[in-house]
Amino acid sequence: MNDLSNAALREHQSSYSYKPIPSLALYVLLSLFFIGLSVSIFILVVVHNAAFLLSFFFLSALVASFLAWNAVNWRHHNKAAFAFFLNSFPDSDLRLAREGQLVKITGVASCGSLSLETSYERVGRCIYASTLFYEYGQFGLKPVNVNRSCFQWNLAYCERFSTDFYITDLKSDIRAMVKAGSGCKVIPLIIENKLVTTTKRCRVLSPHLRNWLRDRNLSAEPRLLRLEEGYIQEGCTVTVIGMLLKSNDSLMIVQPPELISTGCLWRRLLLPVDVDGLILGVPDRGNPRHELNFIQHP
């Protein structure tokens, strides 16, 4: 079993999990902006022509918009950019794939020697389970040490696990083991469903929720909170991107030893970022191309 809870907490605390724009490039662009602004003002004073200054401001606005667009799309909570990358990544055929090749496989998942159970709903036979508990404002919790901010939701507690499982390729009907267990970096593209949300008018907690909180040494007092849970159960169709290993007649998909570059996604005006880990998503069954759909479980 692979505990991904700490990685989820670090991702939530960090403003950006992926940085498409290096800090050095920002400093260079900032220096060029001040140089261009100085030249534009000089030309305005000497020549009394504001055309160059207006053109400079227009170009600066375009560059700033492009940088802001990339910053927003590559934020840790925005997975739309990853969806576009994964949809554009070609599907692989396990019959033709080579040893050590980076593959994208879509197929039906089945549990290995170990299966998971969700923390709150108690859904069994899962290969991936995630439960996130949020509090609003500056409510401190003892079990975790996270940075709090006023007037926003803060991740106060997290349980996120993955385990080794089997996937049966829809193209070739070949079965392979996905090593998503202990020691593997997994990038799950699953959106947790909101199970419990309290409001200012209604802060009553159910007995089941109070017991769940007490079992984890969390305060069971009525307050603004939100509980989310997501999972991938046995029998679901999943999409995996990783490196293929062959051993005798068995196939394994493992975490790539090197970073995966998304490349420049010019159709979305996105700069490349490096992804470190095994990518796990859920496709849209209604689409023959298996485009990724970040499902929310009922």
Side-chain angles (χ1 to χ4, degrees):
M1 185 169 61
N2 189 7
D3 190 352
L4 308 173
S5 305
N6 291 332
L9 287 170
R10 288 194 301 268
E11 177 181 322
H12 182 80
Q13 295 173 25
S14 175
S15 298
Y16 297 93
S17 298
Y18 305 94
K19 293 183 178 181
I21 309 165
S23 299
L24 180 60
L26 291 178
Y27 293 138
V28 172
L29 289 175
L30 191 61
S31 301
L32 292 176
F33 172 79
F34 285 113
I35 292 175
L37 181 62
S38 301
V39 173
S40 300
I41 294 176
F42 175 78
I43 294 176
L44 177 63
V45 173
V46 175
V47 184
H48 302 289
N49 189 345
F52 190 86
L53 181 62
L54 295 177
S55 300
F56 170 76
F57 281 137
F58 177 74
L59 180 61
S60 300
L62 289 179
V63 174
S65 301
F66 176 72
L67 298 180
W69 170 256
N70 275 266
V72 169
N73 276 273
W74 288 123
R75 283 183 68 91
H76 62 80
H77 62 267
N78 191 339
K79 296 185 173 68
F82 281 107
F84 184 78
F85 162 66
L86 292 176
N87 292 335
S88 62
F89 198 94
D91 291 313
S92 305
D93 191 333
L94 288 179
R95 293 170 297 188
L96 306 175
R98 304 182 307 274
E99 168 88 11
Q101 179 181 338
L102 187 67
V103 295
K104 172 187 172 183
I105 303 299
T106 298
V108 179
S110 56
C111 295
S113 58
L114 179 65
S115 63
L116 303 174
E117 183 182 68
T118 61
S119 173
Y120 188 77
E121 291 187 299
R122 296 297 182 185
V123 179
R125 303 295 294 174
C126 297
I127 63 169
Y128 167 83
S130 174
T131 304
L132 305 179
F133 177 71
Y134 294 88
E135 289 187 328
Y136 191 82
Q138 290 184 325
F139 299 101
L141 290 180
K142 296 180 180 179
V144 292
N145 181 20
V146 296
N147 296 325
R148 307 288 177 188
S149 300
C150 293
F151 311 115
Q152 72 176 25
W153 290 101
N154 299 290
L155 180 60
Y157 184 80
C158 173
E159 294 180 11
R160 179 175 288 178
F161 299 95
S162 65
T163 186
D164 297 340
F165 65 95
Y166 292 97
I167 183 172
T168 303
D169 184 20
L170 294 179
K171 274 190 171 184
S172 61
D173 204 31
I174 296 177
R175 193 186 193 200
M177 170 171 277
V178 180
K179 300 293 289 183
S182 179
C184 176
K185 292 182 179 179
V186 179
I187 302 175
L189 301 180
I190 310 298
I191 294 180
E192 290 77 12
N193 187 49
K194 296 178 182 179
L195 301 181
V196 179
T197 302
T198 60
T199 63
K200 293 182 179 179
R201 294 184 178 181
C202 181
R203 303 190 183 190
V204 180
L205 306 184
S206 66
H208 178 50
L209 178 57
R210 289 200 299 268
N211 292 333
W212 185 88
L213 292 170
R214 292 192 186 102
D215 291 342
R216 286 151 184 81
N217 295 323
L218 301 174
S219 173
E221 296 180 359
R223 61 196 184 278
L224 289 177
L225 56 83
R226 189 174 80 229
L227 182 69
E228 301 178 356
E229 196 162 73
Y231 57 87
I232 301 177
Q233 198 172 18
E234 185 176 49
C236 292
T237 303
V238 299
T239 296
V240 177
I241 291 185
M243 188 179 70
L244 178 65
L245 294 182
K246 297 183 178 181
S247 177
N248 297 328
D249 293 332
S250 62
L251 301 178
M252 290 190 302
I253 301 176
V254 301
Q255 173 189 342
E258 299 179 352
L259 299 177
I260 304 174
S261 176
T262 62
C264 292
L265 306 176
W266 293 118
R267 290 176 58 186
R268 294 293 179 91
L269 298 178
L270 295 177
L271 295 172
V273 297
D274 292 329
V275 182
D276 185 14
L278 184 78
I279 303 177
L280 179 64
V282 178
D284 182 1
R285 294 182 181 181
N287 193 320
R289 294 180 57 196
H290 303 296
E291 291 189 356
L292 289 186
N293 175 35
F294 303 114
I295 62 172
Q296 297 187 11
H297 301 274

